Amino acid sequence: MGAGVVADRSQAVAEPTLGEDGLYHQSWFLQSFLDLREDLESAAASSKRLAIMWELRGCPYCRETHLVNFADADISKYVRDNFEVLQLNLIGSRRVTDFDRQELSEKDLAQKYGIRFTPTFQFFPPSPDGLEAKEAMAREVARAPGYLKPRHFLAMFRFVRERAYERGSFRDFLAANG
């Protein structure tokens, strides 16, 4: 019976693949030239928001995010419909152009933004306007450091999409929305 449940789930949501970099990859994650301003503008043009998912090879909670949270068809659909998710490696060497046009390795960008845990999701405003003048940490509208159980995970994406951060904290949003 358990195998049938898994089979049904895999039909509803594509299975992530384990890449050579040791990270799980979703087929619908943003394929990017790693220019954050362009990624945010592109997301906005599609009426979506930009989220960065920071991961690390061997991270058990990153794996859980992919195999549990993103395996939930409702969560996966909501995130895909409303967000562009850019996957970055906490200790990666790929070159990323930040909103202020500074080009850094993934590792140095993570340090610039104070990313210390994986998975961490960073969420940015709907437009890049004015972002380059802000300090790095002030560019985010929300952050989810560490693993969130599926219910809270979906709530975090709703919190950002609904711009609830303009009215209060994530904790307040959870209290008001069960």
Side-chain angles (χ1 to χ4, degrees), residues 3-175:
V5 172
V6 172
D8 290 342
R9 181 176 288 168
S10 69
Q11 289 172 356
V13 178
E15 292 285 328
T17 57
L18 186 59
E20 290 180 18
D21 57 3
L23 305 181
Y24 284 91
H25 299 274
Q26 301 289 337
S27 62
W28 49 269
F29 274 2
L30 180 61
Q31 297 303 307
S32 169
F33 290 112
L34 302 178
D35 183 317
L36 298 185
R37 179 183 256 326
E38 285 181 7
D39 291 341
L40 182 53
E41 288 171 344
S42 176
S46 300
S47 299
K48 294 183 178 187
R49 300 293 296 269
L50 177 64
I52 295 177
M53 181 181 186
W54 289 94
E55 297 189 62
L56 185 63
R57 166 184 237 131
C59 165
Y61 292 112
C62 299
R63 181 179 183 275
E64 192 87 354
T65 299
H66 286 281
L67 300 182
V68 175
N69 296 15
F70 286 138
D72 180 299
D74 292 333
I75 292 173
S76 183
K77 180 175 177 10
Y78 186 85
V79 174
R80 284 190 351 237
D81 287 351
N82 294 288
F83 289 85
E84 291 289 356
V85 179
L86 175 62
Q87 182 180 41
L88 295 178
N89 185 338
L90 186 69
I91 58 170
S93 59
R94 294 183 302 166
R95 304 298 290 174
V96 182
T97 303
D98 198 0
F99 296 105
D100 59 10
R101 296 288 169 219
Q102 184 179 21
E103 189 178 301
L104 302 161
S105 68
E106 291 166 287
K107 179 181 180 178
D108 290 340
L109 186 69
Q111 289 175 346
K112 179 178 178 177
Y113 280 92
I115 306 295
R116 296 188 187 1
F117 307 102
T118 56
T120 290
F121 282 85
Q122 288 179 285
F123 298 92
F124 296 93
S127 163
D129 297 342
L131 281 185
E132 65 188 59
K134 292 183 176 183
E135 291 295 319
M137 304 280 273
R139 295 175 184 154
E140 301 172 11
V141 296
R143 177 183 287 203
Y147 179 72
L148 293 174
K149 298 256 184 211
R151 187 171 71 87
H152 291 132
F153 184 77
L154 178 57
M156 175 55 84
F157 280 87
R158 286 184 44 236
F159 173 74
V160 172
R161 181 66 186 173
E162 296 170 19
R163 296 176 137 189
Y165 53 83
E166 294 175 350
R167 300 182 297 279
S169 70
F170 181 55
R171 185 178 299 245
D172 295 338
F173 181 78
L174 284 176

